Amino acid sequence: MKHLLDCNLQELKEIVAAAGQPSFRAKQIFKWLCGGVGFDGMTDLPLAFRKRLAEEYTAQPLAIHEKFVSKDGSAKILYKLTDGNLIEGVYMPHFYGNTLCVSTQVGCRMGCAFCASGIGGLVRNLTAGEIAAQVVAVNAFLGGTVSERKISNLVLMGSGEPLDNYENVTKFLGLITASDGLNISMRSISLSTCGLAENIRRLADDGYGVTLSLSLHATTDEMRRELMPIASVYPMHEVIGAVKYYFQKTGRRVIYEYALIKGKNMTHFDCKRLAELTRGYPCHVNLIRLNYVKEKGLSGCTEAEAERFLQTLVGMNVSATIRRSFGNDVGGACGQLRRSYIEKR
Ligand code: SAH
């Protein structure tokens, strides 16, 4: 059964018209859906109309299956989809606004050497509504409404490769930024990609002004191929070309994510090459201390090593920071929570 949150306002208007209802009903429904309210709570809609809708559609809010709250205020969240699949997310309170990390696929087919999300391969794409439902669920859980949001920033950094699910992810961007819904600003959304160059260009051409984060993780094609199979399809010059194109089209500064991995990408030459790769256009390097994934066996670095790498980069005039880590006491990075849950069962 199709979920109504998979419909944008235009599609809702068509559904409403087909049922012989006035078109303002579409906005009413959209508001309720974005507030995490199912048919039972849509009190300003005639009961008969709700019953008729329920014959063809569902409006069931996404269930938070379990949550693990950290001492630092962040929380890891496990959601259960209607087909029983589990996906996960992370809630991070910030002084400038609360951020939610959302998943875009169940599993992932990119197979990066350090990442837990890809271990079981891709199970399926999430629909636009299923991605939006994560934001709706956490906002509602925190006591937020459509007019008083508790989530203001999103990062598409949960499991899945967003640009491998282009149609659903871009439809989701439309739903979540809609002014009649949660109205989250495009500028407050970061989309992280392993570097599907064609779709980076497409995203720029389609006019989505999200912040683009590129998972770079290496400074040579050889090392990048070792860490990220997708690098065999899109060599670095193509990916960086697409990133520069994205900047030219959108005017948005691009973020490079660089997970520091012992024995792989932490030499002085890596710093020098990073400095060269990032010269001449606005971008920022986000250094990440690798989360250890036992199935993968790659090791991260100490805080002091990360700090040294950072200082070398900064000394080369690269804009860089070390990414703040959340919730270390409640399980690892995205992908790991779902895996450990599946294993336990
Ligand atoms: N598929 C997208 C987004 C998901 S992952 C992408 O590849 O960018 C979000 C970020 O976490 C990516 O930069 C990813 O490379 C990184 N990541 C994955 N596994 C990690 C781990 N074990 N430790 C630290 N970062 C990791």
Side-chain angles (χ1 to χ4, degrees), residues 166-195:
Y166 189 88
E167 299 296 340
N168 287 311
V169 165
T170 48
K171 185 168 189 185
F172 153 76
L173 291 175
L175 292 173
I176 215 69
T177 57
S179 56
D180 292 301
L182 285 173
N183 197 13
I184 291 179
S185 149
M186 212 51 105
R187 294 181 149 257
S188 309
I189 303 175
S190 289
L191 183 150
S192 179
T193 176
C194 63

Side-chain angles (χ1 to χ4, degrees), residues 8-301:
N8 58 30
L9 201 55
Q10 190 49 42
E11 291 162 330
L12 286 175
K13 280 184 181 157
E14 285 158 25
I15 291 170
V16 163
Q21 289 283 327
S23 88
F24 68 84
R25 297 268 181 241
K27 274 192 189 180
Q28 289 178 311
I29 297 172
F30 190 62
K31 262 213 164 97
W32 286 122
L33 293 167
C34 292
V37 174
F39 286 131
D40 288 348
M42 298 186 182
T43 46
D44 56 3
L45 300 185
L47 196 59
F49 176 42
R50 281 186 263 163
K51 279 195 176 141
R52 177 162 174 191
L53 282 176
E55 283 165 16
E56 255 182 277
Y57 303 97
T58 165
Q60 182 77 27
L62 176 64
I64 293 182
H65 189 59
E66 252 190 88
K67 56 183 186 314
F68 307 86
V69 181
S70 162
K71 287 195 292 260
D72 61 23
S74 68
K76 303 263 158 93
I77 303 154
L78 209 53
Y79 312 87
K80 194 170 202 166
L81 302 170
T82 43
D83 65 358
N85 272 307
L86 295 169
I87 50 167
E88 65 187 87
V90 189
Y91 164 74
M92 293 160 282
H94 285 300
F95 65 91
Y96 56 79
N98 299 327
T99 300
L100 188 70
C101 172
V102 298
S103 292
T104 54
Q105 296 178 314
V106 183
C108 181
R109 63 182 181 129
M110 296 299 138
C112 296
F114 42 81
C115 181
S117 297
I119 290 172
L122 175 69
V123 179
R124 69 170 175 88
N125 281 332
L126 294 182
T127 67
E130 285 172 326
I131 306 172
Q134 299 166 51
V135 189
V136 167
V138 175
N139 182 56
F141 176 78
L142 293 170
T145 59
V146 176
S147 42
E148 264 186 72
R149 273 187 282 113
K150 297 283 185 188
I151 302 281
S152 53
N153 298 63
L154 299 177
V155 294
L156 277 60
M157 295 187 184
S159 58
E161 166 49 47
L163 295 185
D164 189 35
N165 184 14
Y166 189 88
E167 299 296 340
N168 287 311
V169 165
T170 48
K171 185 168 189 185
F172 153 76
L173 291 175
L175 292 173
I176 215 69
T177 57
S179 56
D180 292 301
L182 285 173
N183 197 13
I184 291 179
S185 149
M186 212 51 105
R187 294 181 149 257
S188 309
I189 303 175
S190 289
L191 183 150
S192 179
T193 176
C194 63
L196 302 181
E198 278 155 29
N199 279 352
I200 291 175
R201 287 175 183 269
R202 190 172 163 201
L203 194 68
D205 289 337
D206 288 346
Y208 294 98
V210 295
T211 301
L212 185 72
S213 291
L214 180 86
S215 297
L216 188 62
H217 303 325
T219 60
T220 65
D221 273 316
E222 196 186 359
M223 181 49 69
R224 201 157 185 273
R225 280 195 299 269
E226 185 181 326
L227 297 173
M228 307 173 73
I230 193 67
S232 308
V233 183
Y234 300 107
M236 223 140 61
H237 75 270
E238 268 186 45
V239 180
I240 298 211
V243 160
K244 288 182 179 169
Y245 181 80
Y246 191 86
F247 164 69
Q248 283 158 9
K249 275 266 166 170
T250 63
R252 307 285 290 140
R253 179 181 79 152
V254 173
I255 310 288
Y256 287 106
E257 294 163 281
Y258 197 89
L260 295 165
I261 307 174
K262 193 153 268 174
K264 299 292 182 192
N265 61 4
M266 295 181 56
T267 66
H268 188 73
F269 293 110
D270 285 309
C271 284
K272 277 178 108 167
R273 285 189 291 256
L274 256 178
E276 276 158 32
L277 287 171
T278 54
R279 192 163 294 143
Y281 57 103
C283 60
H284 180 83
V285 177
N286 227 323
L287 299 175
I288 305 171
R289 284 181 59 204
L290 191 80
N291 278 290
Y292 181 72
V293 176
K294 69 175 191 315
E295 291 90 339
K296 298 293 191 179
L298 291 170
S299 303
C301 63

